[in-house]
mmCIF file of all heavy atoms in Angstrom:
data_model
loop_
_atom_site.group_PDB
_atom_site.id
_atom_site.type_symbol
_atom_site.label_atom_id
_atom_site.label_comp_id
_atom_site.label_asym_id
_atom_site.label_seq_id
_atom_site.Cartn_x
_atom_site.Cartn_y
_atom_site.Cartn_z
ATOM 1 N N ALA A 12 102.741 12.790 87.157
ATOM 2 C CA ALA A 12 101.902 13.803 86.563
ATOM 3 C C ALA A 12 100.750 13.146 85.822
ATOM 4 O O ALA A 12 100.873 12.038 85.300
ATOM 5 C CB ALA A 12 102.707 14.669 85.604
ATOM 6 N N TYR A 42 100.922 1.073 84.050
ATOM 7 C CA TYR A 42 99.698 1.868 84.061
ATOM 8 C C TYR A 42 98.551 1.225 83.313
ATOM 9 O O TYR A 42 98.731 0.489 82.341
ATOM 10 C CB TYR A 42 99.958 3.239 83.452
ATOM 11 C CG TYR A 42 100.651 4.195 84.381
ATOM 12 C CD1 TYR A 42 102.033 4.218 84.468
ATOM 13 C CD2 TYR A 42 99.919 5.079 85.167
ATOM 14 C CE1 TYR A 42 102.674 5.094 85.325
ATOM 15 C CE2 TYR A 42 100.549 5.958 86.018
ATOM 16 C CZ TYR A 42 101.930 5.964 86.091
ATOM 17 O OH TYR A 42 102.556 6.844 86.938
ATOM 18 N N SER A 128 77.510 16.569 60.948
ATOM 19 C CA SER A 128 76.730 15.706 60.069
ATOM 20 C C SER A 128 76.505 16.330 58.709
ATOM 21 O O SER A 128 76.071 15.677 57.778
ATOM 22 C CB SER A 128 75.390 15.363 60.712
ATOM 23 O OG SER A 128 74.652 16.531 60.989
#
Side-chain angles (χ1 to χ4, degrees):
Y42 282 87
S128 59

